[in-house]
């Protein structure tokens, strides 16, 4: 057997093994503490470096990441500290360049669930105003901007915060490794794939699988004929 | 030629898979492009900026029922997941809702109409079903264009690197399973056709440089460029390279027959000119600015300082030089925007891999770059002989990069966000295919086919796991 044939066989076998390993893993389970998420509001945008702290959080055991609903096109560096009794119990950072309506920051898992945690989000000075999403609450339980009065508000569309409470609580979510593997969730994922498309039911995931198998076969045959 | 068709089949099947995996309206700007097609198909009119509504009532119902506004940009929200949501969607799509209203089609307004006119065919063919059936048929047409793209890329690589056919297969097949190409070719976006046109353009130019500037090839270059002008405004970025290519081909051909060379140039330029006139005529007839979206961009650019524009465009791709005002503080654009974006950025720039994947991808990318450079170093003499052709390809690439950078600058100056999506550079994917073929050749005669096979398998794995990431994001 020639080396290209071996490379093809080994490559496809490696893909199959990686596929089994990935699907044996679990999607992250998401938990959220604080106010119930009925309607979220855009609290506005912070255009300078800021630190927003939110008390009354519950940090679940084994949380591997914290997701904060910040919005950016090209997001700046974001750091989070989780404090309990004035002591940092975990922290993490996410470099600049993230995009979309939330930022996920990996953190070191804590051994047991901690309540009455204050989560502080430090947003570095970036090239654009960062949106903050949250739920409206009373000032007593709202997130608190510790940055102080902001001298510059160059962009009229980008209201900046003063030191004091935000209009409510930021949405903060905690991601931990879930209990169910992708295999066990396969039926539910397949059912969802059938929703909101042309056609419906189990045909879509089966068709997708058949198409990718056809791609693999056509690709392999061409490699064997023309390259190997 | 059979290998070229197999590459086309692979790309078509792959794009078709992407078209059913990605939820409707979760390809960037797809709602706007669907609105354009609907307006054209239902009324025969082009979208007009004067219209207040962005979409038809029917499309608004579909977008709302699919929670499109909530899901896009926000990876924390999956696609619809309950039967009650599905039933409401089906109920609303069955209503006799208006769909031929005056709309502006958002970002799609001002784009040339050719792609949308073609998409009106599957839209009409699916009129017995609901809007989602029509959307899926339209996506299939884009997937067909994806197949054509792979066909032309194969022909281009085989023409550009004629000595080793297996390397051409490796390069073209890798690109046929490239996830970004599959994602865009699986959605409704004129970019899918722009990539096809660009691949055809590279092919006809390479053929003319290798086989001589004949009237037939001159007509082909003119026709392809004309189609590009009528497909998407971004084709403007490729035009300087096309004109340079025509100039160099004419000079070369003039050594044999000056008259025939000038005749060929006249053929190509007259077809390009005719397509520009057609574009202008269509716009004027529709009551739009003569050059469509180009008019607004040119006006905005004229107001800006050229030094600022150049500095911004430089930093859009490369680290700032000393003395430059920093437009992207704290961000290494080359790595964080472009490299990471090519490795994995799907949906409305909201579907990404875990961070370690981007770090891991640096290793194979570096190896491929080294192998490619090795192959180029070995072919120094041939490169010198083909310097003119290489300058043309470089000019095409530089023109598109400058255009996208300038668009982004104008957008930011107007208070909107930057245009930094890697999909804008898909028209340059034929050059990537050549680079991959060169990387396989760079491994030497003995190991080249093995490395070529490994590159294809690597791209296939990338594609497969990209689709899984999309599935996890929307349906997990």
């Amino acid at each position: 057997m020639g080396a290209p044939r071996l490379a093809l066989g080994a490559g496809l076998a490696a893909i199959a093994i990686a596929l089994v390993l990935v699907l044996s893993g679990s999607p992250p389970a998401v938990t959220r503490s604080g106010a119930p998420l009925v309607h979220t509001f855009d609290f506005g945008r912070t255009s300078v470096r800021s630190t927003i702290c939110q008390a009354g959080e519950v940090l679940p055991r084994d949380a591997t990441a914290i997701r904060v609903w910040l919005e950016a096109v090209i997001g700046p560096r974001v750091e989070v500290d989780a404090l309990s009794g004035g002591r940092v119990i975990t922290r993490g950072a996410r470099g600049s360049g993230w995009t979309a309506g939330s930022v996920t920051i990996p953190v070191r898992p804590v051994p047991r669930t901690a309540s009455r945690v204050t989560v502080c989000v430090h947003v570095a000075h970036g090239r654009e105003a960062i949106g903050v999403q949250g739920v409206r609450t009373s000032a007593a339980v709202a997130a608190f901007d510790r940055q102080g009065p902001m001298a510059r508000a160059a962009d009229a569309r980008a209201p900046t915060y003063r030191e004091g409470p935000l209009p409510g609580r930021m949405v903060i979510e905690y991601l931990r490794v879930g209990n169910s593997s992708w295999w066990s969730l396969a039926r539910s994922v397949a059912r969802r794939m059938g929703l909101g498309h042309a056609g419906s039911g189990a045909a879509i995931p089966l068709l997708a699988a058949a198409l990718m198998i056809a791609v693999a076969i056509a690709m392999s045959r061409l490699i064997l004929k023309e390259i190997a | 030629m059979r290998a070229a068709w197999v590459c086309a089949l692979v790309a078509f099947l792959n794009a078709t898979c992407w078209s059913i995996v990605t939820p409707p309206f979760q390809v960037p700007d797809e709602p706007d492009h669907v609105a354009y097609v609907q307006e054209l198909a239902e009324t025969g009119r082009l979208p007009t900026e004067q219209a207040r509504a962005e979409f038809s009532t029917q499309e608004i119902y579909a977008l709302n029922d699919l929670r499109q506004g909530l899901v896009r940009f926000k990876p924390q929200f999956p696609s619809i997941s309950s039967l009650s949501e599905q039933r409401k969607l089906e109920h609303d799509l069955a209503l006799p809702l208006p769909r031929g209203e005056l709309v502006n089609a958002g970002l799609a307004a001002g784009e040339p109409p050719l792609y949308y006119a073609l998409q009106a065919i599957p839209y009409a063919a699916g009129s017995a079903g609901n809007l989602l059936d029509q959307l899926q048929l339209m996506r299939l047409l884009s997937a067909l264009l994806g197949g054509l793209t792979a066909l032309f890329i194969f022909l281009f690589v085989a023409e550009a690197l004629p000595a080793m056919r297996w390397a051409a297969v490796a390069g073209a097949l890798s690109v046929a399973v490239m996830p970004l190409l599959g994602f865009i070719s699986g959605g409704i976006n004129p970019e899918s056709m722009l990539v096809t046109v660009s691949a055809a353009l590279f092919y006809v130019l390479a053929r003319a440089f290798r086989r001589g500037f004949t009237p037939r090839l001159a007509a082909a270059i003119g026709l392809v460029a004309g189609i590009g002008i009528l497909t998407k405004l971004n084709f403007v970025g490729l035009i300087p390279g096309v004109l340079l290519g025509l100039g160099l081909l004419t000079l070369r051909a003039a050594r044999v027959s000056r008259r025939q060379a000038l005749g060929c140039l006249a053929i190509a330029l007259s077809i390009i000119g005719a397509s520009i006139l057609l574009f202008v005529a269509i716009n004027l007839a529709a009551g739009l600015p003569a050059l469509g979206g180009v008019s607004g961009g040119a006006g905005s650019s004229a107001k800006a300082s050229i030094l600022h524009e150049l500095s911004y465009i430089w930093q859009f791709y490369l680290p700032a030089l000393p003395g430059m005002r920093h437009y992207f503080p704290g961000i290494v654009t080359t790595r964080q925007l472009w490299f990471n974006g090519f490795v994995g950025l799907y949906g409305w720039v909201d579907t990404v891999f875990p961070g370690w994947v981007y770090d891991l991808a640096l290793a194979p990318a570096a190896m491929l770059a080294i192998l490619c450079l090795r192959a180029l170093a070995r072919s120094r003499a041939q490169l010198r002989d083909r310097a003119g052709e290489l300058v043309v390809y470089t000019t095409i690439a530089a023109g598109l990069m400058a255009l996208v950078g300038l668009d982004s600058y104008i957008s930011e100056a107007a208070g909107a966000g930057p245009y930094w999506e890697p999909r804008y550079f898909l028209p340059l994917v034929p050059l990537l295919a050549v680079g991959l073929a060169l990387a396989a050749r760079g491994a030497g005669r003995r190991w080249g086919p093995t490395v070529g096979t490994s590159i294809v398998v690597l791209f296939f794995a990338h594609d497969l796991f990209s689709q899984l990431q999309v599935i996890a994001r929307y349906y997990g």
Side-chain angles (χ1 to χ4, degrees):
Chain A
M1 187 186 275
R5 284 170 184 266
L6 267 177
L8 176 63
L12 292 177
I15 290 173
I17 292 167
L19 208 54
V20 169
L21 288 175
V22 167
L23 296 179
S24 301
S26 306
V30 181
T31 55
R32 187 187 301 121
S33 57
L37 190 60
V38 182
H39 293 293
T40 61
F41 292 89
D42 192 344
F43 287 165
R45 293 180 166 263
T46 172
S47 57
V48 296
R49 180 184 170 83
S50 61
T51 295
I52 303 169
C53 292
Q54 185 158 291
E57 290 290 305
V58 178
L59 179 65
R61 182 171 68 94
D62 296 337
T64 55
I66 295 179
R67 184 161 70 192
V68 189
W69 289 21
L70 302 179
E71 192 170 293
V73 179
I74 303 175
R77 181 179 171 83
V78 178
E79 295 174 13
V80 291
D81 289 330
L83 301 104
S84 179
R87 193 174 58 87
V88 175
I89 54 173
T90 190
R91 64 174 24 150
R94 170 76 184 258
S96 56
W98 54 274
T99 189
S102 65
V103 56
T104 303
I105 304 129
V107 294
R108 185 172 32 81
V110 293
R112 61 183 69 84
T113 299
S115 56
R116 283 187 290 181
V117 169
T118 298
V119 173
C120 288
V121 182
H122 312 277
V123 183
H125 174 51
R127 61 188 307 281
E128 63 181 283
I130 306 302
V132 183
Q133 285 252 314
V135 287
R136 288 194 191 282
T137 61
S138 66
V141 294
F144 195 87
D145 190 332
R146 291 170 184 269
Q147 201 55 46
M150 293 178 177
R152 290 181 297 117
D155 186 349
R157 289 167 305 171
T160 52
Y161 308 123
R162 294 187 175 278
E163 182 160 337
L166 265 60
R169 293 178 71 81
M170 288 186 292
V171 182
I172 300 177
E173 296 171 316
Y174 303 92
L175 278 60
R176 57 182 172 75
V177 178
N179 298 321
S180 314
S181 73
W182 281 109
W183 292 117
S184 63
L185 296 170
R187 281 185 68 161
S188 136
V189 172
R191 186 187 61 78
R192 287 178 177 188
M193 282 181 78
L195 302 176
H197 283 87
S200 60
I204 284 178
L206 288 178
L207 183 59
L211 283 166
M212 287 317 287
I213 290 169
V215 167
I217 291 170
M219 178 192 83
S220 302
R221 286 187 64 169
L222 189 60
I223 288 173
L224 291 174
K225 191 164 183 297
E226 298 279 345
I227 304 180
Chain B
M1 194 60 192
R2 189 170 173 272
W5 284 108
V6 176
C7 285
L9 175 70
V10 166
F12 168 67
L13 293 174
N14 188 43
T16 303
C17 192
W18 275 98
S19 80
I20 59 172
V21 160
T22 311
F25 303 114
Q26 292 300 335
V27 175
D29 307 332
E30 199 173 39
D32 298 356
H33 299 305
V34 169
Y36 195 132
V37 176
Q38 195 169 46
E39 181 77 349
L40 197 57
E42 297 285 348
T43 68
R45 287 190 308 251
L46 298 187
T48 167
E49 286 170 8
Q50 281 80 46
R52 289 177 66 187
E54 194 169 352
F55 312 118
S56 70
T57 308
Q58 187 195 41
E59 189 176 344
I60 290 170
Y61 268 74
L63 292 170
N64 288 341
D65 289 351
L66 288 164
R67 306 194 305 164
Q68 193 265 351
L70 189 68
V71 174
R72 72 167 189 171
F73 293 131
K74 296 189 176 70
Q76 59 270 37
F77 288 111
S79 190
I80 63 168
S81 57
S82 74
L83 283 175
S84 60
E85 287 171 309
Q86 173 72 14
R87 276 194 286 269
K88 181 166 185 338
L89 174 69
E90 286 172 3
H91 170 266
D92 288 348
L93 289 179
L95 294 173
L97 297 168
R99 51 189 176 180
E101 303 139 295
L102 205 61
V103 299
N104 61 41
L107 288 170
E111 286 288 348
L114 183 56
Y115 172 77
Y116 305 100
L118 284 177
Q119 284 291 10
I121 299 169
Y123 178 88
S127 57
N130 62 31
L131 182 61
L132 295 185
D133 297 325
Q134 292 171 302
L135 183 137
Q136 184 57 47
L137 287 175
M138 289 191 273
R139 282 184 168 187
L140 284 178
L141 177 63
S142 289
L144 267 177
L145 291 170
L148 266 181
T149 301
L151 180 88
F152 283 122
I153 288 176
F154 179 91
L155 295 173
F156 167 61
V157 183
E159 202 70 44
L161 305 170
M164 288 187 193
R165 187 182 150 88
W166 62 264
V169 174
L173 198 50
S174 300
V175 168
V177 291
M178 183 181 164
L180 187 59
L181 182 64
F183 170 57
I184 291 300
S185 301
I188 300 163
N189 194 312
E191 227 122 50
S192 59
M193 184 161 162
L194 183 66
V195 189
T196 313
V197 174
S198 164
L201 181 67
F202 275 105
Y203 168 56
V204 288
L205 281 172
R207 201 171 164 88
F209 272 107
R210 188 165 163 229
R211 302 179 189 216
F213 196 32
T214 61
R216 184 182 282 193
L217 277 173
I221 294 170
L223 190 65
V224 170
I227 292 172
I229 288 164
L230 294 171
T231 298
K232 192 169 194 281
L233 291 176
N234 277 11
F235 190 82
V236 170
L238 279 66
I239 289 179
V242 175
L243 295 178
L244 179 66
L246 288 171
L248 289 178
L249 286 166
T250 306
L251 285 176
R252 271 177 41 167
R255 288 180 208 150
V256 182
S257 163
R258 196 174 166 192
R259 196 174 159 193
Q260 189 186 329
L262 289 174
C264 288
L265 181 65
I267 291 171
L269 290 180
S270 55
I271 297 174
I272 294 172
S275 67
I276 294 173
L277 287 177
L278 180 61
F279 179 46
V280 169
I282 291 168
N283 283 326
L284 292 178
L288 299 170
L291 292 173
V294 177
S295 312
S300 310
S301 178
K303 290 177 202 155
S305 147
I306 188 134
L307 278 178
H308 285 166
E309 284 177 355
L310 288 174
S311 171
Y312 179 94
I313 293 170
W314 175 274
Q315 293 176 54
F316 199 49
Y317 303 105
L318 296 165
L321 297 174
M324 278 183 173
R325 170 188 163 188
H326 283 253
Y327 284 100
F328 298 89
I331 292 165
V332 184
T333 51
T334 318
R335 165 78 205 277
Q336 289 169 285
L337 301 189
W338 305 115
F339 180 77
N340 289 0
F342 270 105
V343 171
L345 187 67
Y346 309 106
W348 284 80
V349 295
D350 55 18
T351 306
V352 294
F353 286 115
W356 61 266
V357 174
Y358 301 92
D359 296 333
L360 186 69
L362 284 170
M367 272 193 278
L368 289 174
I370 289 166
L371 286 171
C372 183
L373 288 173
R374 189 169 179 233
L376 287 173
R378 280 179 173 179
S379 321
R380 283 190 300 274
Q382 288 163 297
L383 288 178
R384 269 195 296 275
D385 292 345
R386 297 174 65 180
E389 185 183 353
L390 293 177
V391 168
V392 169
Y393 300 152
T394 309
T395 307
I396 289 176
L400 183 64
M401 291 171 77
L403 179 85
V404 174
L406 185 60
D407 269 353
S408 185
Y409 178 82
I410 292 168
S411 166
E412 292 216 65
Y419 285 153
W420 66 277
E421 293 175 51
R423 67 187 165 101
Y424 299 133
F425 299 106
L426 277 175
L428 305 181
V429 87
L431 298 179
L432 174 68
V434 167
L436 294 171
L438 282 171
R441 280 173 62 165
R445 196 173 287 273
R446 185 175 172 201
W447 291 105
T450 307
V451 170
T453 303
S454 305
I455 294 171
V456 178
V457 173
L458 181 70
F459 271 70
F460 177 64
H462 183 201
D463 184 48
L464 199 61
F465 287 100
S466 295
Q467 292 193 40
L468 286 178
Q469 193 65 30
V470 168
I471 290 171
R473 181 256 184 267
Y474 289 111
Y475 314 108

